Amino acid sequence: MYIEQIHTKRFKFLLYLPFPLLFFGLMVANFFSTQEMDVSAMMKQMIDQFGTNTTFVMLIAPLSLACLFLLFWVKYAHQQSIRSLTTGRKKVDWNRVLFSFIIWGLFSAFSIAVLYFLTPENFVLNFDSSAFFVFLILAIILIPLQTSFEEYLFRGYLMQGLGVLTKNKWFPLIFTSVMFGLMHIANPEVAKLGPIIMLYYIGTGFFLGIITLMDDGMELALGFHAANNLVGALLVTADWTAFQTNSILKDVSEPSAGYDILLPIFIIYPILLFIFGRKYGWKNWKNKLTGNVLEYNKLQEETNLIEQKND
């Protein structure tokens, strides 16, 4: 019922157009404006001029503020509750957010630790206590807002709107997953590692879309995405990544796209799907991922039948 719950008399698809059109327009403009630039050199220049923490804020603040604006737009333009944008449950399950955050945060930290001990020559200690603890505060505030914006836009706003428009679930899943991946196409990682990194971004989009539809809410996706960006930014940085931070370690190796690109998509994400599925009792995968979205009248009839059975 995650998508279906917004199919009310107040639903107006035209209200969905301004926000994604503006965002995707800016995304396309950013992509073409950086084609003739050395993004890594530009980042270095910004860091030399403003400092690492200030540059981090300059890069992440727009998306963090966009999260607040999107929630405002949903509440007052669509007259939709933030709860219904987040979950199909009667209230947001913060235990789900926390469980997903912890399981992926621990895995990320463990993976970085293993790489550090196996190939210590690829890392240098980057820890500066005064700079790190300022960054820690900034990261805890801004990164969850940034990741929440991406989740609310793709797995919430667009998935729900497109679901009601197309009356199915498979198209919103595919469209939002591919667009989530393409959103990262201007990242310096793409220029450094090549187009193959897009498989990781799009694959991650599909993973986040699947857990949202199967779990009837965004809680797991919100926790996963926040842990992925926050833990990574705090523990390790590199000169060729989108976030260059005052982290504990710095990766000084020459990057290359290898098994680490495909490992999450074909092994780690399926394992996580199994863990989440067993813990939360996921069933009827085909219908939840590719089934139809009920029309308003049929949805009302089904809701009334469920309420009558519960009475």
Side-chain angles (χ1 to χ4, degrees), residues 9 33 66 85 110 113 122 134 166 171 182 185 197-198 201 203 218 235 239 251 257 264 286-287 293 299 303:
K9 289 181 179 179
S33 67
L85 181 67
F110 177 76
N122 289 341
V134 171
T166 62
F171 180 81
L182 292 177
I185 199 168
I197 188 68
M198 296 305 298
Y201 290 131
M218 285 172 43
L235 294 185
D239 290 336
D251 185 346
K286 182 179 179 180
N287 182 61
V293 173
L299 176 62
T303 303

Side-chain angles (χ1 to χ4, degrees), residues 34-304:
T34 57
Q35 290 307 290
E36 303 299 324
M37 295 182 183
D38 185 337
V39 179
S40 296
M42 184 182 68
M43 289 279 292
K44 185 178 185 305
Q45 184 179 359
M46 289 180 64
I47 290 172
D48 290 341
Q49 183 175 356
F50 300 108
T52 302
N53 283 340
T54 302
T55 299
F56 168 77
V57 173
M58 292 169 65
L59 292 174
I60 199 172
L63 291 180
S64 301
L65 293 174
C67 178
L68 302 178
F69 182 73
L70 176 60
L71 297 180
F72 178 88
W73 180 262
V74 167
K75 186 171 181 62
Y76 293 102
H78 291 276
Q79 297 184 356
Q80 177 186 349
S81 68
I82 305 305
R83 191 274 311 162
S84 66
L85 181 67
T86 307
T87 185
R89 285 168 275 277
K90 292 183 177 180
K91 61 180 181 178
V92 176
D93 188 345
W94 292 104
N95 287 329
R96 274 175 155 84
V97 178
L98 185 62
F99 176 74
S100 182
F101 182 93
I102 290 174
I103 196 171
W104 190 246
L106 289 175
F107 176 83
S108 299
F110 177 76
S111 300
I112 293 170
V114 168
L115 285 175
Y116 177 73
F117 285 109
L118 289 179
T119 57
E121 67 278 7
N122 289 341
F123 298 89
V124 296
L125 189 64
N126 191 55
F127 183 71
D128 179 321
S129 59
S130 58
F132 174 81
F133 287 112
V134 171
F135 169 63
L136 175 64
I137 296 171
L138 294 172
I140 290 174
I141 295 171
L142 294 176
I143 288 181
L145 282 172
Q146 173 250 326
T147 57
S148 294
F149 167 68
E150 295 178 12
E151 290 309 307
Y152 275 117
L153 177 62
F154 289 98
R155 257 64 66 180
Y157 194 71
L158 287 175
M159 186 170 281
Q160 288 185 334
L162 289 171
V164 173
L165 179 70
T166 62
K167 297 182 175 59
N168 64 61
K169 299 173 184 176
W170 62 265
F171 180 81
L173 174 60
I174 294 174
F175 180 85
T176 57
S177 301
V178 173
M179 292 306 296
F180 175 78
L182 292 177
M183 179 186 68
H184 298 83
I185 199 168
N187 283 15
E189 294 94 329
V190 179
K192 194 71 175 179
L193 298 174
I196 191 173
I197 188 68
M198 296 305 298
L199 290 176
Y200 169 75
Y201 290 131
I202 293 174
T204 300
F206 272 101
F207 168 72
L208 293 168
I210 289 170
I211 63 176
T212 296
L213 290 176
M214 288 304 304
D215 200 49
D216 204 32
M218 285 172 43
E219 291 98 333
L220 296 177
L222 286 168
F224 174 95
H225 203 160
N228 185 74
N229 287 28
L230 182 60
V231 173
L234 290 172
L235 294 185
V236 65
T237 189
D239 290 336
W240 46 270
T241 57
F243 283 165
Q244 295 182 33
T245 64
N246 284 306
S247 58
I248 295 174
L249 298 172
K250 184 173 184 178
D251 185 346
V252 294
S253 65
E254 183 61 28
S256 61
Y259 73 93
D260 52 326
I261 301 296
L262 302 178
L263 185 66
I265 301 171
F266 295 106
I267 297 179
I268 298 173
Y269 290 167
I271 291 174
L272 281 176
L273 288 175
F274 175 79
I275 293 172
F276 289 148
R278 289 296 299 269
K279 180 174 177 60
Y280 297 112
W282 293 350
K283 297 177 182 178
N284 199 11
W285 288 64
K286 182 179 179 180
N287 182 61
K288 284 194 172 184
L289 297 179
T290 65
N292 295 326
V293 173
L294 295 176
E295 296 182 6
Y296 174 68
N297 291 334
K298 293 182 179 179
L299 176 62
Q300 291 298 104
E301 292 175 6
E302 185 169 302
T303 303
N304 291 336

